Amino acid sequence: QVQLQQSGPGLVKPSETLSLTCTVSGGSFSAYYWTWIRQPAGKALEWIGRIYNDGSTDYNPSLQSRVTMSVETSKNQFSLKLNSVTAADTAVYYCATVTTSSTGNWFDPWGQGTLVTVSS
Amino acid sequence: DIQMTQSPSSLSASVGDRVTITCRASLSISKNLNWYQQKAGKAPKVLIYAASSLQSGVPSRFSGSGSGTDFTLTISSLQAEDFATYYCQQSYNIPYTFGQGTKLEIK
């Protein structure tokens, strides 16, 4: 059973780069693709983007100019970088597995979430 | 972007009640609609995928229906552990988008 463990700093200064990593265990890394989602306090979920095992990506246009996702297959890890952060980027960030079938795709399972606060 | 609108935004109900939450897409998304449950301080968990398929391990009191632009999540008999926030999400187009959530509270 696939499990995701997130790591990365919980505090980032304004204008700097937010960096998070998700480590996958318990399943075949190459069998899935991966996504990042965030949730400001008390607000709805926002999809950030997805990455395939070959490194190809799709980003939310609202964040595309600031987002970079990468994958390190040898370590069963994928990562998120968001540059030039402001207070508006303060949120809980989640990584998740994109499960696919002939009828669609959905996010399951999820990482535990990382609260990232942007503050000096 | 496809806009997902849930109603109601909040709902008070009692254990044993039948509850229905609706989700409307701003354009047709076929059956590419998923439902998630989120409890306070926890990551969301998928309940229903592809509009009506029950995720493995999810109790059968949860069901989903709909296609095109209108979808529903029904809980046939509320249990204490069902009080949470529920989100719909479309997987038809990039960027994937979520509804604003429906908070289900104890009456």
Side-chain angles (χ1 to χ4, degrees):
Chain A
Q1 184 176 353
V2 174
Q3 292 185 310
L4 305 181
Q5 179 69 37
Q6 298 179 219
S7 57
L11 181 63
V12 181
K13 290 182 167 55
S15 79
E16 296 191 345
T17 298
L18 177 161
S19 295
L20 295 172
T21 296
C22 194
T23 301
V24 180
S25 61
S28 171
F29 189 77
S30 61
Y32 303 94
Y33 61 100
W34 316 101
T35 194
W36 290 95
I37 294 146
R38 70 180 184 177
Q39 185 174 36
K43 296 189 177 180
L45 299 153
E46 179 181 28
W47 181 75
I48 299 170
R50 66 183 180 185
I51 184 164
Y52 294 80
N53 291 312
D54 65 359
S56 59
T57 55
D58 293 295
Y59 299 141
N60 191 323
S62 68
L63 296 168
Q64 184 156 4
S65 62
R66 298 193 293 129
V67 170
T68 303
M69 294 182 186
S70 60
V71 63
E72 191 157 4
T73 306
S74 63
K75 295 184 178 180
N76 283 6
Q77 291 180 336
F78 60 101
S79 298
L80 168 70
K81 291 188 186 299
L82 180 67
N83 61 36
S84 304
V85 297
T86 69
D89 296 309
T90 294
V92 176
Y93 287 75
Y94 294 101
C95 61
T97 307
V98 184
T99 301
T100 63
S101 78
S102 59
T103 52
N105 57 67
W106 59 95
F107 307 145
D108 179 70
W110 297 53
Q112 79 275 22
T114 301
L115 173 60
V116 178
T117 302
V118 179
S119 175
S120 55
Chain B
D1 298 5
I2 298 175
Q3 305 303 313
M4 307 301 294
T5 303
Q6 288 180 234
S7 60
S9 297
S10 63
L11 175 59
S12 293
S14 302
V15 172
D17 283 354
R18 180 183 180 89
V19 166
T20 297
I21 298 168
T22 65
C23 179
R24 175 164 288 176
S26 60
L27 55 84
S28 177
I29 58 171
S30 185
K31 299 192 76 173
N32 296 103
L33 189 284
N34 307 313
W35 289 98
Y36 299 86
Q37 177 193 66
Q38 186 179 33
K39 296 185 178 178
K42 300 293 186 182
K45 163 189 159 183
V46 67
L47 301 173
I48 302 288
Y49 62 91
S52 58
S53 296
L54 188 68
Q55 173 71 341
S56 175
V58 174
S60 59
R61 62 182 179 272
F62 291 92
S63 64
S65 64
S67 66
T69 60
D70 294 312
F71 302 86
T72 60
L73 172 70
T74 299
I75 310 172
S76 60
S77 178
L78 269 176
Q79 302 301 302
E81 61 266 30
D82 300 337
F83 292 95
T85 300
Y86 294 83
Y87 293 94
C88 61
Q89 175 248 328
Q90 64 83 16
S91 61
Y92 183 78
N93 261 355
I94 296 294
Y96 298 141
T97 47
F98 292 86
Q100 82 278 16
T102 295
K103 187 172 184 179
L104 181 51
E105 299 174 306
I106 300 173
K107 184 183 285 184

